Amino acid sequence: MSDTFWPIIDIEYVDAYPWVIIPPRTGVSSPFEEWDDIDGWCLERAKDLWADRKLPPGHDGVAFVAETLARCAEAFCRPDSDHWLFLHLDHPADVPLPVCAAIGPAQKPREATLRTLTEADDTTAVEPPVVKRFFSPHLGEGMTTFRYVSQEESPHLTACLRYAWQVQEHAADVVVWTGTEDVARILNAAEDVEELARSLAVFVP
């Protein structure tokens, strides 16, 4: 009997407009053709971003955005990573806000697992995390947290946002996370991040 964990994250319901969506590098649904030439794929995606926003890229706009996307892909999707990466961009030349989503076998007990995945009991947080229940039409009731943590090498706090679910139908845990020291950036993108979290689903290939 195979020990392979088959459920994968389904992005069918995600509104792609505010996101550049970069697939996993490993896992049961890989390889994705984007990784055959990630630089070339990022260049095409950069062209699409300027066109979708109906903005003139100028002389170096396409190359600049393509390089930014490629750097994010390499930084947040290491060769052995099996999570999805969503880069939030209001303007093509913005610094992307990276949001990751991963799935794995369900762990018990459920409540403790959700608190662990969302770091709801993080003792290193500047103040107790804000913990809320969160409902997704595709994943059911989950948990979300928002917290601030300090950084060893920076005077700035990092704002961290997490979502987690345990999907009994597929015996799977799903977690979504993002963090940045640009607090205004994460607050401005919060509605889109919440909609992303609400739009994810689980599929068994």
Side-chain angles (χ1 to χ4, degrees):
M1 183 175 179
S2 175
D3 292 330
T4 302
F5 178 72
W6 286 105
I8 62 175
I9 289 177
D10 185 354
I11 63 168
E12 177 183 357
Y13 308 105
V14 174
D15 178 6
Y17 181 81
W19 304 100
V20 173
I21 303 174
I22 300 177
R25 298 188 71 169
T26 62
V28 297
S29 57
S30 65
F32 287 89
E33 63 181 11
E34 289 90 335
W35 289 103
D36 293 340
D37 180 8
I38 193 65
D39 291 331
W41 181 84
C42 288
L43 179 61
E44 292 304 312
R45 194 66 188 90
K47 294 176 182 177
D48 292 341
L49 282 172
W50 288 106
D52 290 345
R53 270 58 169 184
K54 296 180 173 57
L55 296 170
H59 183 264
D60 297 321
V62 171
F64 172 79
V65 174
E67 182 178 359
T68 299
L69 298 181
R71 286 184 176 181
C72 287
E74 293 301 329
F76 298 110
C77 289
R78 301 295 177 89
D80 59 348
S81 62
D82 58 1
H83 60 260
W84 286 84
L85 174 63
F86 302 84
L87 299 176
H88 185 271
L89 289 163
D90 286 320
H91 187 282
D94 282 347
V95 175
L97 175 68
V99 180
C100 299
I103 188 171
Q107 305 296 313
K108 300 296 182 181
R110 174 183 179 278
E111 186 70 13
T113 298
L114 294 183
R115 295 190 72 85
T116 298
L117 291 175
T118 60
E119 302 194 21
D121 303 303
D122 183 6
T123 58
T124 67
V126 174
E127 55 190 22
V130 177
V131 182
K132 297 180 180 179
R133 295 292 169 181
F134 183 83
F135 183 79
S136 160
H138 310 292
L139 304 179
E141 184 182 275
M143 182 179 292
T144 181
T145 62
F146 183 81
R147 72 193 200 285
Y148 292 102
V149 297
S150 58
Q151 304 179 77
E152 291 184 1
E153 300 179 358
S154 172
H156 303 290
L157 297 177
T158 297
C160 303
L161 180 61
R162 282 182 168 252
Y163 299 82
W165 301 263
Q166 188 161 98
V167 187
Q168 295 183 359
E169 177 186 357
H170 299 292
D173 290 334
V174 177
V175 60
V176 174
W177 71 96
T178 185
T180 177
E181 64 179 33
D182 187 346
V183 177
R185 182 76 174 86
I186 200 170
L187 293 178
N188 289 336
E191 186 174 334
D192 286 339
V193 177
E194 180 174 308
E195 182 58 30
L196 170 68
R198 215 180 295 277
S199 301
L200 296 177
V202 174
F203 172 72
V204 178

